[in-house]
């Protein structure tokens, strides 16, 4: 019985770790959609706007404003509508954590 509890606990921890890893990968997939304009991991080419290292709260405010149509844009208002507010928060946090 004691050994079963240990294996059950180990399995639970492993499942939690795999779930967290899958979540990180999902955020990278969402963020990859930004690469065309903002570069890989948010590091844009010359003339583009870098997202890497930006303040996550400021980024989220801007993304939500795009989503609501409160901020002028050529395409960002359409792209932002494709994500939930929570997904936009996770994307903002991802880019904020990247080195500029």
């Amino acid at each position: 019985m004691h050994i079963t509890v240990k294996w059950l606990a180990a399995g639970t921890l492993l499942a939690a770790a795999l779930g967290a890893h899958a979540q990180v990968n999902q955020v990278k997939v969402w963020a990859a959609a930004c690469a065309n304009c903002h570069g890989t991991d948010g590091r844009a080419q010359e003339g583009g706007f870098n997202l890497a290292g930006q303040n996550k709260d400021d980024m989220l405010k801007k993304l939500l404003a795009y989503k609501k149509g409160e901020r002028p844009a050529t395409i960002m208002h359409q792209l932002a509508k494709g994500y939930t507010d929570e997904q936009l928060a996770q994307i903002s946090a991802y880019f904020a954590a990247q080195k500029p």
Side-chain angles (χ1 to χ4, degrees), residues 40-57:
T40 303
D41 292 326
R43 290 184 289 280
Q45 297 295 318
E46 188 175 330
F49 183 77
N50 284 325
L51 299 176
Q54 297 292 323
N55 180 282
K56 70 178 181 172
D57 294 329

Side-chain angles (χ1 to χ4, degrees), residues 10-60:
T12 302
L13 289 173
L14 178 61
L18 289 174
H21 182 69
Q23 183 63 27
V24 169
N25 285 337
Q26 181 59 60
V27 174
K28 283 184 177 183
V29 169
W30 295 330
C34 308
N36 284 338
C37 298
H38 299 286
T40 303
D41 292 326
R43 290 184 289 280
Q45 297 295 318
E46 188 175 330
F49 183 77
N50 284 325
L51 299 176
Q54 297 292 323
N55 180 282
K56 70 178 181 172
D57 294 329
D58 290 343
M59 266 192 286
L60 180 57

Side-chain angles (χ1 to χ4, degrees), residues 59-94:
M59 266 192 286
L60 180 57
K61 278 176 142 178
K62 290 175 186 177
L63 286 170
L64 292 174
Y66 285 129
K67 185 177 178 179
K68 294 174 186 172
E70 298 171 349
R71 188 175 171 102
T74 54
I75 194 166
M76 280 302 303
H77 62 291
Q78 292 296 331
L79 294 173
K81 288 178 186 178
Y83 298 96
T84 66
D85 293 358
E86 176 60 30
Q87 289 169 333
L88 291 174
Q90 291 177 12
I91 292 167
S92 297
Y94 172 79

